[in-house]
Amino acid sequence: MVVDYKDWQIPLGRRFRSLKLWMVLRLYGIENLQCYIRNHIKLAEHFEGLVAQDPRFEVVTPRIFSLVCFRLLPPRNNEDNGNKLNNDLLEAINSTGKIFISHTVLSGKYILRFAVGAPLTEERHVTAAWKVLQDEASVLLGRL
């Protein structure tokens, strides 16, 4: 008796993936799509630089396209505390509703992931996101 809206869209099967790619290329054109991707990579590079400047954080892996993997360093190198600390930071950041980031676990370390991908993202948005991260990190570290 419930309307399932997934049945009202173009399916996500293999045959329609090429259609979606064709539509993006048709909408943007090759040069605009290249510019769009390069801009997001530049914005992620800016964010990576901001993370690298703060001694409380570390960039865990090299930036891949517009994805930056980083974490808040635990005080006194307590790795178990570090995983909980980064989980708490992720929850605090996402609960603000200002930005949303994801996570992964890499070699037993809880890692935060920041990806630039929205079409209207500008440098000021990335800087504001970093400010939210710093503020929430300061609150968490102040409680320790």
Side-chain angles (χ1 to χ4, degrees):
M1 300 275 91
V2 176
V3 176
D4 193 351
Y5 291 106
K6 76 173 178 52
D7 296 329
W8 290 23
Q9 67 180 355
I10 295 175
L12 299 176
R14 268 194 197 125
R15 289 178 285 159
F16 286 99
R17 288 183 189 155
S18 59
L19 176 63
K20 288 188 272 186
L21 176 60
W22 180 82
M23 289 298 292
V24 168
L25 289 172
R26 183 95 170 148
L27 177 67
Y28 282 97
I30 297 288
E31 291 162 6
N32 285 340
L33 185 59
Q34 288 172 336
C35 181
Y36 178 87
I37 292 169
R38 287 181 181 131
N39 183 49
H40 284 176
I41 291 170
K42 184 184 77 147
L43 292 173
E45 189 175 350
H46 172 65
F47 181 81
E48 183 181 42
L50 294 172
V51 173
Q53 290 174 1
D54 191 328
R56 301 175 302 170
F57 290 87
E58 75 170 330
V59 176
V60 179
T61 63
R63 176 185 36 79
I64 299 173
F65 290 108
S66 64
L67 176 67
V68 180
C69 295
F70 65 101
R71 71 187 194 120
L72 180 59
L73 291 171
R76 298 175 298 280
N77 262 346
N78 183 349
E79 209 48 58
D80 292 334
N81 187 31
N83 288 343
K84 173 143 178 36
L85 181 68
N86 281 283
N87 181 38
D88 292 346
L89 180 59
L90 174 79
E91 289 177 7
I93 290 165
N94 287 346
S95 69
T96 67
K98 295 176 183 175
I99 64 170
F100 295 97
I101 60 175
S102 63
H103 77 282
T104 189
V105 177
L106 181 64
S107 300
K109 295 179 182 177
Y110 194 92
I111 308 299
L112 304 177
R113 298 166 19 122
F114 180 86
V116 179
L120 301 177
T121 304
E122 298 174 357
E123 188 172 319
R124 65 187 172 96
H125 298 116
V126 172
T127 304
W130 176 239
K131 177 81 170 108
V132 170
L133 274 157
Q134 284 185 308
D135 292 346
E136 294 298 329
S138 295
V139 169
L140 281 175
L141 291 173
R143 292 181 194 160
L144 298 178

